[in-house]
Amino acid sequence: MLELRKDIFADERDDNLKEIGKGTQRQDMLGHVTGTSTYFDDHKLQGMLHLKVVRSVHSHARLRRIETTEAEQSQGVRRIIRGADVPRNLNTLLSLINFGKDDEPSLAVDKVRYKGEPIVAVVADSPREASEAMAKVRIEYEPLPTVFDVEDALKPGAPVVNETYPKNTFTYYEKYDHQKLRFGDVERGLAQADHVLEQRYQMSPIEHAPTETNGSIAAPDTNGRYTVYTSTQALFFSVDTCAKILDVPSNTFHFIGGTVGGGFGGKVDTITEPLCILAAMLTGRPVRYVLGREEEMQYGPPRGAERIYITDGVMRDGRIVARKVRAYFDSGAYTRLSSYAAVKCAAHLPGPYTIPNVYGDVYCVFTNRTPATAMRGFGVTAMDFAIECQMDKLAHIVGMDPMEFRILNAYRDGDMKAHRREAKNTALIECVQVAAEKAKWPLRDEFKRASSRQGGGGARAVVPAATREAHAPTVAAAQQRTVYDRAPATAPSREPPPPPPPRPQAPSHGAARFSSVFGTRRR
Amino acid sequence: MSKTALQFRHNGRDVAIFVDGGTNLLVALRELIGDMTPKFGCGQGGCGACSVLIDGELHLACLTLAETVAGRSIETLDGIKQGPNLHPLQRAFADNFAAQCGYCTPGMLMAAKALLDRNPQPSRAEVIEAISGNICRCTGYEPIINAVLAAASSRARA
Amino acid sequence: MARHRGRGIASINYPIGMNLGGDPSQALVHSNPSGKFTVSLSSIDLGQGMKSVTRQICAETLGVPVEDVYVDTADSDTGPHCMGSFASRGTHRVGNAVMAAAKEARGVMMEAAAEELEVNAADLETDGRGNIHVKGAPHRSISTKDVAIAAQFKQGKTISGRGIFLVPLSDVDPETGEMSPATCYAHACLVAEVEVDDETGDVAMIRMDSAYELGRALNPRLVEQQLVGGAWMGISHALYETTEPYYPVSSHGPRDFVEYLMPGPGDICPHDIAVLERPAADGPFGAKGPGEMCANPVLPAVANAIFNAVGVRIDKLPITPEKVLRAIKAQGGARPQPRR
Amino acid sequence: MPITVKTFGSAGEAASALSSDRAARYLGGGTLVMRALNEGDISISTIVRANDHALRRIDAAGPRVTIGAGVTFAKILAERDLAFLHAPARSIGGPAVRNMGTVGGNLFAPNPYGDFTVALLALDATVTVQGGFGARNVPIEEFLQSRDRQAGSLVISISCQKPTNSEAFRYRKITRIRPKGGSVITLAAYVPLSSGRLLDARLALGSMAPMPIRARAAERALEGRPLDASSISAAASAITEGTSPVDDALGSAWYRREIAGVHLRRLLSGQE
């Protein structure tokens, strides 16, 4: 059930609209319910060939020899494609916007860096004949040491996954092995906190699992061009990526897509189009390259794993005074889009809260697993999981209601965010209030009265003068510290009695709320 | 490669094709008949996107050897419209916004039709069971369940 | 044995659009001689409703009924450049581009109508039903069809418009991370209720209550699709999904939809949603974008609800029954927290 | 090599064709063989079929039931005399898979599939196999132990004794996903009471070993005792003895061992 709360923020809106705001039927619904919506694979072309790729069986290995003679003679085979046949066999997706170095071949040549990496493409009259030829491709591997853990990958002596980035981390601004966020003096904030909570969070890789797998059909068109039907989520990214890899002008291609059977981020990488077009160029025939379901699950790019460490400092009255984050994005063997996820993640810190001291180091790390890519909530989903679990634990430690704890710390209009931009158009407090109302979760009046539009700005609008790198802190003697992998203590006997409920934090008090952080006053 | 001649009824029409050994019904329908309504989602029997009715029973076209349907009657989404009019299930899916990317929709509709054809007034639990072999990644299933129930009650009223 | 219920919450915000290389999208709008409009895009509809929401934006801006607009997506020969359908940028970026294109087309349409009605274009308004009339004098009216015919065959005008929306690249300060990562943010808070079986670690979803703030719900039915489906994906991420069940060990990856776990239609729960609209200054009609953020609050809300139910914190996703059971055993049994 | 489809009128001919060709596989409902072909399994180049009515026959009127190997799960669900097998039949796939998958094919389905076979194992079914030289009856446990070597033979039918009442046979498939999910563990219990005591109780487990197995230690814990909290608890403690579960995408070996006893106790004591 969906309820529109038009009463909230009504003064900021002009609702005098005719078509906007109506629950108009989808333009594509009739096509969907009649099965006539046309997806990339719904094109039947005369004499279509089928492309399949031979994938690495090792996670990391040198390729000593690739023997395709027998496969070339296999029945129904039109062409075997090897790395040397790819005009520019090294690319990175975001090179189109000048971000990152080319680090990934279309077909591996001298080394494979993840299990399932494409080595040879087989183009045959039928999928069966392609499978038979694949079995005749002989590849000699020399297995190399592997690394699968993001923190192991950063240790000295770890196997180098991708020689483009010999330290196993993406390089930011040509000088750093991570993306930084620095706001205030996090060590000082932590030192002065009544409680410090250090925790570790992890998200495993996740598959987009669209019901339509990745794929494309490429066909020679009239006048030397190629028509490409594709499941891409980003048409011009795909056009320009193919133009670069195949070293032809982008108007060589006529890409047609736009009706896609689910994507969720998994169809940005342009993984089938370059080889599919190349096969069409080399054979002069229409070619279809569609991932099977197991291929999609295992070798289609996933939402990458993340490991996140958060250290928070909180005062007994519930104010968070410092948040320090170290996060690792598991990019797999190549960059794809994880490099950008780290930037987006850093900008997201410390979540939708106003915290005077924030510190973030976000790494994009290479390991010997399937390269990761974007997925719904990219760069943020796992961090939100970590931050919001952390918020629940902090509320528990200080004995506050978790809803009220969030309202207390929520960012408001006029506050300075950690990436040094003013918060505007905020609405976290109202979301908490309405969700509480829906769930019949009692909030005290002062929290019901709070507003995103009041209490921000003032002292909260200031970029802290001191931006410091982390340094050894002097810890307050009475501080409670809770460390990794242990549930936070809940009012144990040695701890002082839980604080009284926070005084009504009238929004107008906001400007003074952080006074104790920089002083020595302790309640 | 030797081909096998095959005749069957496709949405009420007799059709004849030649298939290679081992061809599955999904390939036969899409590539030889030209009926693109059943979709390839996995080829493993796990997603239901290729669901069709064979003699009124729900089957997965990708796991059906084409030549086993000789002489039988195949119904796909392409055949369920009633003349120019949408089938009540198609209308209900539209009214309930039960499709987003639309890729699972043909299979979902066939699974739902298989249910309503033999159980015109199903319970919510029966609807859930009926679509349980069909994966939808977009909708969270709730609108689909509501659509099938709505189609059943609209038929009851009609 | 016992099954314990618990509730947990999470609140989040989400940036709209990407910031890297700049974030442009273009749109073209043109009328045919019958006054019917086509929007040409290279943007992608992968189920989120791109075609439908840009259609409404175009109709509203032109002042014509939605039926008079058709959106054609993703043809590289006819559709102008778009970065793509990701980063919650569709409604906001593409929507703005369509709005700009529709404004330009509307300008020509109003000029053409003014010429036919022999008035000043500034004195005209659209009625949203396919007519243009003099403000305050509805009888001095002309249909958009007649305007289009006149423009094409009499006046020699193209009723068309070009639109681009570009959020320029914001440099990132390497030392501090100072940047403008997004122009606006959507918000949400979600309460999840779960039931945990303390002998098996199974977690069942009981219900969800949520509030999402999205700038403006341009089409509430499409928003509902995103929020309901997205919350389902959130449950899926929280409790079920991974390609590496023993991460960072990379073995035992799923190969099919039986091994790749996602909640089935029998695992879903009621979800009561409120939508708030605080319009974004630069959003089309104030809209932000619900597509991605809808899943995010569910994961931590579920984790927090599990803690409330049985007193264990599971900090590794997905929260499988095994992880819950191991944690319950490690603490010597379920420790239900105060009900809330 | 292209695929050849050979269709025979009798099971005997099909069995001969099957045993004479290493690259031949028998096509039942298609859920295993067609999937393999779709996934590019080139070890199969001959598909053998049989249009023998015997394969689709159900004989369920008497105390001993015989089910043709080609009988689908949907057919079992439509047969009132097979009510004791409805729970296991319903636990297979979704409706489409139940319309296609067969009892005979299920005997060959690897983990996490093959749940119907767990029920048949608890019922101590007999598998009738047609080899190149005629039919023979094989106890299901023996059949399963030599399953990998049975590829060249054709299962004709399965038979078992009907449980005397509905309480005497219980089945539960534990899944992560509802209503259709792969087995984390599958339990089947034949627990007939004679004068209030369990006689010849049989417990079978799926996903606790490479193929369905009997839980003999737990069976011994029940034997001769009433079905009460004490015997159930004893059986639950012994349920993992002799099992060898593995880690897979649905659950770890540890988890399976932990919950097997819990679910056995719930099954035997009638709890959800």
Side-chain angles (χ1 to χ4, degrees), chain A residues 209-211 264, chain B residues 46-47 98-105 108 131 133-144, chain C residues 229 232-233 257 262-265:
Chain A
T211 43
F264 313 105
Chain B
C47 75
Q100 286 184 39
C101 83
Y103 201 78
C104 76
T105 311
M108 280 288 180
I131 61 165
N134 296 67
I135 299 281
C136 173
R137 186 58 157 162
C138 299
T139 63
Y141 296 108
E142 185 69 35
I144 295 174
Chain C
W232 171 88
M233 189 176 276
F257 280 120
M262 300 187 287

Side-chain angles (χ1 to χ4, degrees), chain C:
Chain C
M1 83 132 177
R3 292 187 173 97
H4 309 272
R5 289 210 176 174
R7 293 207 293 178
I9 87 148
S11 58
I12 59 138
N13 67 345
Y14 197 80
I16 301 306
M18 69 182 271
N19 168 46
L20 206 62
D23 196 5
S25 275
Q26 294 186 31
L28 297 175
V29 171
H30 78 274
S31 160
N32 74 5
S34 316
K36 307 296 178 192
F37 289 83
T38 299
V39 181
S40 301
L41 302 173
S42 71
S43 315
I44 311 285
D45 199 321
L46 32 94
Q48 83 279 40
M50 171 71 76
K51 295 170 190 170
S52 309
V53 76
T54 50
R55 186 185 187 203
Q56 278 173 267
I57 288 170
C58 184
E60 181 75 47
T61 308
L62 286 167
V64 303
V66 77
E67 298 77 24
D68 286 2
V69 178
Y70 192 83
V71 179
D72 182 38
T73 55
D75 183 314
S76 66
D77 278 6
T78 60
H81 177 264
C82 168
M83 291 300 273
S85 292
F86 48 76
S88 293
R89 60 186 302 288
T91 294
H92 191 274
R93 306 297 199 255
V94 184
N96 268 318
V98 169
M99 211 167 147
K103 264 186 195 146
E104 189 172 298
R106 180 186 161 100
V108 183
M109 178 175 78
M110 297 308 257
E111 287 295 336
E115 203 170 314
E116 292 305 300
L117 293 172
E118 297 176 341
V119 294
N120 194 322
D123 295 332
L124 294 176
E125 64 185 6
T126 46
D127 69 355
R129 294 193 299 270
N131 303 299
I132 299 165
H133 61 250
V134 177
K135 283 176 191 164
H139 60 282
R140 294 189 61 195
S141 169
I142 183 170
S143 70
T144 49
K145 180 182 175 184
D146 288 341
V147 172
I149 291 171
Q152 173 74 352
F153 295 102
K154 205 164 109 193
Q155 303 176 11
K157 283 196 176 83
T158 61
I159 300 184
S160 65
R162 304 151 302 160
I164 184 165
F165 187 75
L166 167 67
V167 176
L169 167 69
S170 148
D171 280 328
V172 181
D173 181 74
E175 310 301 329
T176 63
E178 176 174 358
M179 65 177 118
S180 296
T183 58
C184 60
Y185 292 81
H187 301 88
C189 178
L190 184 138
V191 182
E193 182 171 10
V194 302
E195 186 174 85
V196 184
D197 183 327
D198 67 7
E199 284 188 312
T200 64
D202 281 316
V203 177
M205 295 301 300
I206 302 300
R207 66 172 288 116
M208 292 187 286
D209 291 283
S210 64
Y212 286 88
E213 187 279 315
L214 323 155
R216 187 187 290 277
L218 299 179
N219 180 329
R221 300 299 302 269
L222 294 181
V223 166
E224 185 175 19
Q225 285 193 312
Q226 286 292 312
L227 299 184
V228 171
W232 171 88
M233 189 176 276
I235 296 170
S236 195
H237 282 14
L239 299 174
Y240 298 93
E241 287 185 60
T242 179
T243 52
E244 297 185 29
Y246 303 93
Y247 181 87
V249 175
S250 68
S251 58
H252 303 299
R255 296 158 296 185
D256 62 19
F257 280 120
V258 166
E259 294 182 336
Y260 192 74
L261 301 173
M262 300 187 287
D267 296 309
I268 60 177
C269 68
H271 183 187
D272 204 353
I273 303 169
V275 165
L276 281 61
E277 299 172 307
R278 186 173 194 197
D282 68 343
F285 303 100
K288 299 171 181 176
E292 294 187 275
M293 48 94 74
C294 44
N296 290 353
V298 182
L299 288 72
V302 167
N304 295 336
I306 290 169
F307 173 73
N308 185 237
V310 291
V312 301
R313 296 282 188 190
I314 311 299
D315 296 334
K316 289 183 185 171
L317 293 166
I319 305 174
T320 58
E322 166 160 358
K323 289 176 187 158
V324 175
L325 185 63
R326 279 186 189 273
I328 289 173
K329 284 181 180 283
Q331 76 171 10
R335 278 192 216 151
Q337 305 294 305
R339 273 292 274 163
R340 57 190 195 204

Side-chain angles (χ1 to χ4, degrees), chain D residues 173-235:
Chain D
K173 176 174 166 182
I174 309 304
T175 64
R176 293 289 319 280
I177 307 304
R178 285 167 298 182
K180 171 191 174 280
S183 161
V184 178
I185 53 171
T186 302
L187 302 131
Y190 177 66
V191 282
L193 287 167
S194 172
S195 314
R197 295 192 177 270
L198 288 158
L199 214 60
D200 292 329
R202 289 189 295 268
L203 302 174
L205 298 170
S207 300
M208 290 295 284
M211 59 192 66
I213 55 162
R214 291 270 292 273
R216 287 229 150 67
E219 289 175 0
R220 282 194 298 274
L222 294 175
E223 194 58 30
R225 300 175 65 179
L227 191 60
D228 58 16
S230 144
S231 66
I232 290 172
S233 160

Side-chain angles (χ1 to χ4, degrees), chain A residues 404 407 433 442-451 504-507:
Chain A
E404 296 180 351
I407 291 174
Q433 290 164 333
L443 290 182
R444 284 175 291 167
D445 280 345
E446 61 267 31
F447 292 97
K448 282 185 193 160
R449 282 197 306 269
S451 162
Q505 290 282 346

